[in-house]
Amino acid sequence: SVVISVFISLWVTRLYTEQDLCFAQGNETDLDENVCQESFSDPDAETCPDAFSRFSALTGTAQVAALVFAPVFGYLGDHFDPLIIVTGCSILGAVSFGLVGIINDPQEDIAFLLVVLWGISQIGSVVSSQFFLAKLMPSDIRGTISGCYSIMGGIGVLFYTYVGGVLFDRWYEGGPFVLASVMNGILLCCCVGILLG
């Protein structure tokens, strides 16, 4: 969710800023006026309407995909091995986030497919991993494990937000997505290790 809520907007706004695609309302024909440059840290519908519209559409699409597929993964978790589902979601995440290195333009229509895949992989990993823990852990320590799960999730969010922001600022705008791809790759390795162990 951090990727969707934070870095999609930065990704889109950076592109619109660098390509001078942000215009003040009522003056969209003035190619020399790039008001996003002045308010890059807080773009909104008034200062950068085109970027705002685009990243809102992409973010909304990803969130809707996650909302739609949440019950699907709940059903799958009841009928299949959750670890297999987590493995599949990690593969989907590693590939789809990694594609930003090839398709680094949110203006292209394929960006909507990318964010749909992001939303599906993220919600799938969250729901299925919870199913996995619930089925694996003894009933008398499930509360403790759930608490640890939440704590580690919070630490992961802090880590990803910080490192992703550093990569965005010091490397390139697709850095946070590459990091997400790498983290999904690590998850995939852990899943395969458990399956083969």
Side-chain angles (χ1 to χ4, degrees):
S1 62
V2 176
V3 179
I4 294 172
S5 61
V6 176
F7 292 112
I8 288 180
S9 62
L10 292 176
W11 179 43
V12 174
T13 305
R14 171 68 65 84
L15 176 130
Y16 275 73
T17 300
E18 292 179 345
Q19 297 187 10
D20 291 327
L21 298 175
C22 290
F23 310 109
Q25 288 184 334
N27 191 28
E28 297 182 356
T29 58
D30 185 358
L31 296 178
D32 294 328
E33 182 174 5
N34 185 339
V35 295
C36 269
Q37 189 67 47
E38 299 179 358
S39 57
F40 176 72
S41 62
D42 187 26
D44 56 33
E46 294 182 358
T47 59
C48 195
D50 292 335
F52 180 85
S53 176
R54 190 64 176 183
F55 74 66
S56 295
L58 291 172
T59 301
T61 299
Q63 298 286 12
V64 168
L67 180 66
V68 169
F69 276 85
V72 173
F73 284 109
Y75 174 83
L76 293 175
D78 281 332
H79 293 81
F80 301 95
D81 184 353
L83 185 57
I84 298 295
I85 302 173
V86 175
T87 303
C89 290
S90 64
I91 294 173
L92 179 61
V95 173
S96 60
F97 282 111
L99 286 176
V100 171
I102 301 174
I103 309 166
N104 191 27
D105 188 352
Q107 287 185 292
E108 296 182 10
D109 290 337
I110 197 171
F112 283 98
L113 175 60
L114 281 183
V115 297
V116 166
L117 296 178
W118 296 350
I120 293 173
S121 67
Q122 287 190 322
I123 196 64
S125 295
V126 171
V127 173
S128 301
S129 61
Q130 291 175 334
F131 267 99
F132 175 70
L133 289 177
K135 291 185 176 181
L136 184 65
M137 295 297 110
S139 59
D140 59 334
I141 62 169
R142 285 179 183 171
T144 303
I145 297 300
S146 295
C148 292
Y149 178 93
S150 299
I151 291 174
M152 297 306 296
I155 293 173
V157 168
L158 292 173
F159 169 81
Y160 179 82
T161 303
Y162 175 75
V163 177
V166 171
L167 292 175
F168 181 90
D169 288 335
R170 300 184 182 180
W171 185 27
Y172 91 114
E173 61 273 9
F177 309 109
V178 174
L179 176 61
S181 178
V182 171
M183 294 178 73
N184 274 278
I186 295 173
L187 175 61
L188 173 59
C189 292
C190 292
C191 292
V192 171
I194 295 174
L195 288 171
L196 297 178

